[in-house]
């Protein structure tokens, strides 16, 4: 394989899918028909009752009779002026609490708000009483000191009770939200600049639909009059009065009730901000990828420089392998996909074997399905200098030993730090990319930096969306930041930028790959094919063509080598057991590559799991 997928793009893709699925739900909720629309109340119906105010109700003294006469006057500006006369026949309670409604349910999406101010109280002698007010559960609780009083007069003003309806103007108000004591009778009279046209009332428990005791328009039909008898502390009295057009100004004061659909409401404003944010953030990312993450690619003609036999003639006319730009297999894999994959390490192991730095010995099969190999470290050609990453890889495989079984590499008893040594090889290959000036910075660090930026941006988007959802109806706009963060996380893999030299080497490498994948690569002269095709094989691992080249190499060995050379081994870098033949080479080397790849992968996974367990 050329590359192995990273977990970060997988996380980014999962995040993007989650965001877009949430976006679909939100848009569906905001689409016409996706949410219930407001229904305007019409006379004589009243609003849906709100929460019961938190008034500690208690029954009055049996010898005490409490009555309340409420006078409500609606002025031209829509302000409702209230004056209540509370009378106590018998011992008055120490404190009498009156609940004035501050919030009521209006429709499926809104609460209706009433602004109450100017609350004062005086006793029957005209002395001002020190009232206490507390707003709770949608009601303004007014606590009046009434001990020893024969009566008190409570005054207040209310805004937000008036609204326009099809028939004219409608006054809607909860005349009594709750009392703290039983009240024998509550008499409500409403006056306005013009006579009423219709009226309605509801009384009793907060969610009851019972009509009040009585209601009329007075003797001359100029006032609205309501009467409710025997109200307990849990009862309320709602009134609705319709007036001709122009009687009073005003409209309901509405607060949109929080819900997921309302928080993510799609309006022209939120859609415009969302689109603008998405255009700026994602558009900027695309531009950044094109500028920062682009490869300064060489012209197509440069690729042709690598599309030929990678050989050169030595001083004595012998054929010598010479890859384009002297690029080693591990370097090619890192240059192509900008990451060090397991295949890059496996190809490097085979390359070291072919070049004479180690020998692969297939061991006798102890069981029917048991296959193992011994790796033997060799001194290698004296004139050849190993790369730093190759030295580190040999050290990871052998340590201080001269030979090691492949099955022992992943065993803690023989090499407990093998995964850490492999990671040092990977880091050195990344440093090679910078040292050779193929990249200005390590591709691994560039990807890590941009992945961190993307995840941080996604987290900021989540927090921003949550804050907007709680305090506003514009949470939909925050999704643009989440999408942009997910896009940055996913786009991090495209951010490493090859230099012009790196792009030129990359072009030559692609030409070399095209050559190896073509039939022209099999045109080497007899007698030189085994050596040359052996050098091709590690690159075939990088280009995911190992099976074909293993068969080509085995066929060349059968044709070019003598029976003595083919007896038992046949290749200087790969030998088999007594019963092994060169015809088995293709299956053997393919199994070796798969086994080594799996071993390195599993040991790294075990290391990650151990690190997670230790962190817990």
């Amino acid at each position: 394989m050329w590359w192995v997928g990273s977990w970060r793009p997988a996380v980014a893709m999962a995040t993007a899918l989650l965001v877009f699925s949430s976006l679909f739900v939100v848009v569906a909720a905001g689409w016409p028909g996706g949410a219930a629309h407001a229904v305007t109340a019409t006379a004589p119906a009243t609003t849906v009752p709100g929460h019961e105010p938190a008034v500690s109700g208690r029954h009055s003294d049996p010898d005490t009779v409490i009555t309340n006469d409420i006078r409500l006057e609606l002025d031209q500006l829509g302000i409702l002026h209230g004056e209540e006369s509370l009378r106590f026949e018998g011992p008055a309670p120490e404190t009498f609490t009156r609940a004035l409604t501050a919030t009521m349910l209006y429709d499926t999406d809104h609460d209706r708000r009433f602004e109450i101010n100017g609350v004062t109280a005086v006793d029957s002698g005209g002395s001002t009483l020190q009232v206490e007010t507390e707003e709770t559960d949608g009601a303004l609780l007014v606590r009046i000191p009434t001990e020893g009083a024969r009566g008190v007069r409570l005054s207040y003003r209310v805004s937000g009770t008036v609204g326009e309806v099809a028939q004219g103007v409608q006054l809607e108000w909860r005349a009594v939200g709750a009392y703290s004591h039983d009240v024998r009778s509550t008499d409500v009279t409403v006056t306005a600049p013009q006579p009423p046209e219709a009226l309605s009332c509801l009384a009793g428990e907060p969610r009851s639909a019972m009509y009040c005791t009585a209601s009329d328009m007075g003797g001359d039909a100029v006032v609205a009059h309501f009467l409710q008898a025997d109200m307990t502390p849990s009862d309320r009295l709602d009134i609705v009065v319709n007036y001709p057009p122009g009687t009073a100004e005003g409209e309901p004061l509405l607060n949109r009730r929080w819900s997921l659909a309302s928080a993510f409401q799609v309006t022209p404003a939120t859609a415009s901000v969302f689109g603008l944010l998405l255009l700026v953030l994602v558009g900027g990312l695309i531009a950044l990828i094109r500028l920062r993450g682009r490869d300064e690619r060489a012209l197509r003609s440069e690729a042709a420089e690598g599309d030929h036999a990678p050989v050169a003639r030595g001083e004595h006319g012998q054929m010598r392998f010479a890859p384009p730009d002297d690029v080693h297999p591990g370097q090619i894999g890192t240059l192509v996909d900008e990451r060090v994959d397991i295949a890059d390490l496996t190809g490097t192991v085979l390359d070291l074997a072919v070049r004479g730095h180690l020998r692969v010995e297939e061991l006798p099969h102890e069981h029917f399905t048991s296959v193992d190999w011994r790796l033997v470290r060799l001194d290698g050609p004296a004139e050849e200098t190993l790369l730093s990453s190759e030295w580190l890889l040999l050290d990871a495989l052998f340590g201080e030993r001269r030979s090691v079984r492949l099955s022992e590499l992943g065993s803690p008893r023989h090499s407990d730090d093998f995964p850490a040594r492999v990671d040092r090889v990977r880091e050195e290959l990344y440093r090679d990319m910078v040292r050779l000036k193929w990249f200005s910075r390590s591709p691994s660090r560039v990807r890590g930096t941009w992945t961190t930026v993307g995840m941080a941006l996604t987290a900021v988007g989540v927090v921003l969306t949550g804050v907007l959802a709680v305090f506003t109806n514009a949470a939909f706009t925050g999704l643009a930041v989440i999408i942009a963060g997910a896009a940055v996380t996913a786009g991090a893999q495209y951010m490493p930028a090859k230099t012009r030299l790196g792009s030129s080497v990359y072009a030559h490498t692609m030409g070399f790959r095209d050559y190896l994948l073509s039939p022209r690569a099999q045109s080497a002269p007899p007698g030189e094919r085994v050596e040359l095709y052996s050098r091709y094989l590690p690159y075939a691992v990088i280009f995911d063509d190992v099976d074909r080249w293993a068969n080509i190499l085995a066929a060349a060995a059968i044709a070019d080598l003598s029976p003595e050379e083919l007896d038992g081994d046949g290749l200087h870098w790969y030998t088999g057991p007594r019963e092994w033949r060169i015809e088995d080479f293709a299956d053997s080397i393919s199994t070796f590559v798969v086994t080594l790849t799996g071993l390195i992968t599993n040991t790294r996974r075990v290391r990650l799991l151990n690190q997670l367990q230790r962190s817990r």
Side-chain angles (χ1 to χ4, degrees), residues 563-582:
E564 292 76 13
E565 293 173 313
L566 290 175
D567 186 15
D569 44 54
L571 297 175
H572 68 86
W573 60 274
Y574 191 99
T575 63
R578 182 180 299 276
E579 69 278 7
W580 187 85
R581 295 293 179 268
I582 192 65

Side-chain angles (χ1 to χ4, degrees), residues 457-486:
L457 186 59
T458 302
V460 169
V462 171
V463 173
L464 176 62
T465 302
V467 171
L468 292 175
V470 172
F471 297 103
T472 72
N473 296 327
F476 178 69
T477 58
L479 293 178
V481 182
I482 297 178
I483 294 173

Side-chain angles (χ1 to χ4, degrees), residues 142-347:
V142 181
R143 296 184 177 91
I144 311 169
T146 56
E147 185 176 11
R150 302 296 299 171
V152 297
R153 187 169 70 254
L154 175 67
S155 302
Y156 51 84
R157 296 187 304 276
V158 185
S159 302
T161 61
V162 176
E164 293 185 1
V165 293
Q167 297 84 355
V169 175
Q170 184 179 81
L171 165 69
E172 186 172 6
W173 171 239
R174 177 158 289 173
V176 177
Y179 289 133
S180 60
H181 295 73
D182 294 340
V183 176
R184 173 72 60 86
S185 67
T186 300
D187 198 321
V188 181
T189 302
V190 185
T191 59
Q194 297 190 52
E197 293 185 337
L199 51 81
S200 177
C201 63
L202 290 176
E205 295 290 335
R207 298 187 182 279
S208 73
M210 295 181 59
Y211 207 79
C212 60
T213 303
S215 65
D216 58 64
M217 297 186 189
D220 297 323
V222 295
V223 298
H225 179 243
F226 305 91
L227 175 66
Q228 180 62 24
D230 298 322
M231 294 189 70
T232 65
S234 61
D235 290 345
R236 93 318 187 191
L237 174 60
D238 290 336
I239 63 173
V240 176
V241 185
N242 279 28
Y243 292 99
T247 299
E249 301 175 359
E251 58 184 15
L253 306 177
L254 302 181
N255 290 335
R256 190 173 185 89
R257 193 178 307 112
W258 190 94
S259 66
L260 188 62
S262 65
F264 287 87
Q265 184 181 14
V266 181
T267 64
T270 58
S272 298
V273 174
F274 173 85
L276 182 61
L277 279 174
L278 199 61
L279 179 63
V280 172
L281 293 174
V282 178
L285 173 64
I286 294 174
L288 189 60
I289 289 176
R290 291 181 63 87
L291 294 175
R292 178 70 185 89
R294 67 186 172 90
D295 292 332
E296 298 180 45
R297 304 209 180 275
L299 299 175
R300 288 184 177 270
S301 58
E302 285 198 52
E305 296 183 18
D307 190 10
H308 56 74
V311 295
R313 292 292 176 179
E315 296 179 0
H316 303 289
Q318 74 278 13
M319 185 175 290
R320 180 175 59 84
F321 178 70
D325 301 287
D326 196 27
V327 177
H328 293 234
Q331 293 175 329
I332 279 186
T334 308
L335 177 66
V336 168
D337 61 6
E338 300 167 349
R339 66 181 70 246
V340 179
D341 298 328
I342 304 300
D344 304 337
L345 303 178
T346 304

Side-chain angles (χ1 to χ4, degrees), residues 263-435:
F264 287 87
Q265 184 181 14
V266 181
T267 64
T270 58
S272 298
V273 174
F274 173 85
L276 182 61
L277 279 174
L278 199 61
L279 179 63
V280 172
L281 293 174
V282 178
L285 173 64
I286 294 174
L288 189 60
I289 289 176
R290 291 181 63 87
L291 294 175
R292 178 70 185 89
R294 67 186 172 90
D295 292 332
E296 298 180 45
R297 304 209 180 275
L299 299 175
R300 288 184 177 270
S301 58
E302 285 198 52
E305 296 183 18
D307 190 10
H308 56 74
V311 295
R313 292 292 176 179
E315 296 179 0
H316 303 289
Q318 74 278 13
M319 185 175 290
R320 180 175 59 84
F321 178 70
D325 301 287
D326 196 27
V327 177
H328 293 234
Q331 293 175 329
I332 279 186
T334 308
L335 177 66
V336 168
D337 61 6
E338 300 167 349
R339 66 181 70 246
V340 179
D341 298 328
I342 304 300
D344 304 337
L345 303 178
T346 304
T348 302
V349 171
L350 281 186
D351 189 52
L352 289 170
V354 171
R355 288 156 52 194
H357 296 278
L358 64 90
R359 183 173 63 251
V360 182
E361 297 178 354
E362 184 175 337
L363 300 176
H365 299 191
E366 298 176 359
H367 304 285
F368 180 71
T369 58
S370 174
V371 183
D372 200 359
W373 292 264
R374 179 187 295 112
L375 304 181
V376 180
R377 186 165 186 174
L378 306 175
D379 293 334
E383 70 279 2
E384 186 174 272
T385 302
L386 292 177
L387 300 175
S388 298
S389 58
E390 294 171 338
W391 278 115
L392 289 173
L393 182 56
L394 288 173
D395 180 65
L397 295 174
F398 296 101
E400 300 298 328
R401 293 173 293 176
R402 297 298 298 180
S403 67
V404 62
R405 279 196 173 204
L406 193 63
S407 57
E408 296 176 351
L409 285 178
S411 173
R413 293 179 301 172
H414 295 84
S415 180
D416 57 352
D417 63 342
F418 177 69
R421 294 184 181 186
V422 170
D423 284 344
R424 286 196 287 270
V425 178
R426 294 163 58 90
E427 289 302 319
E428 188 61 29
L429 278 171
Y430 281 126
R431 281 193 285 268
D432 267 354
M433 299 296 102
V434 180
R435 190 161 40 241

Side-chain angles (χ1 to χ4, degrees), residues 537-562:
L537 189 60
Y539 294 88
V541 173
I542 305 299
F543 297 139
D544 199 17
D545 196 30
V546 64
D547 292 338
R548 186 174 73 93
W549 270 106
N551 281 296
I552 293 172
L553 176 56
I558 293 172
D560 294 358
L561 299 180
S562 64

Side-chain angles (χ1 to χ4, degrees), residues 6-13 15 447-463 481-492:
S6 170
W7 65 271
R8 292 190 179 97
V11 171
M13 184 60 68
T15 304
R447 270 193 305 272
T449 299
W450 282 102
T451 299
T452 302
V453 170
M455 290 182 174
L457 186 59
T458 302
V460 169
V462 171
V463 173
V481 182
I482 297 178
I483 294 173
V488 171
T489 305

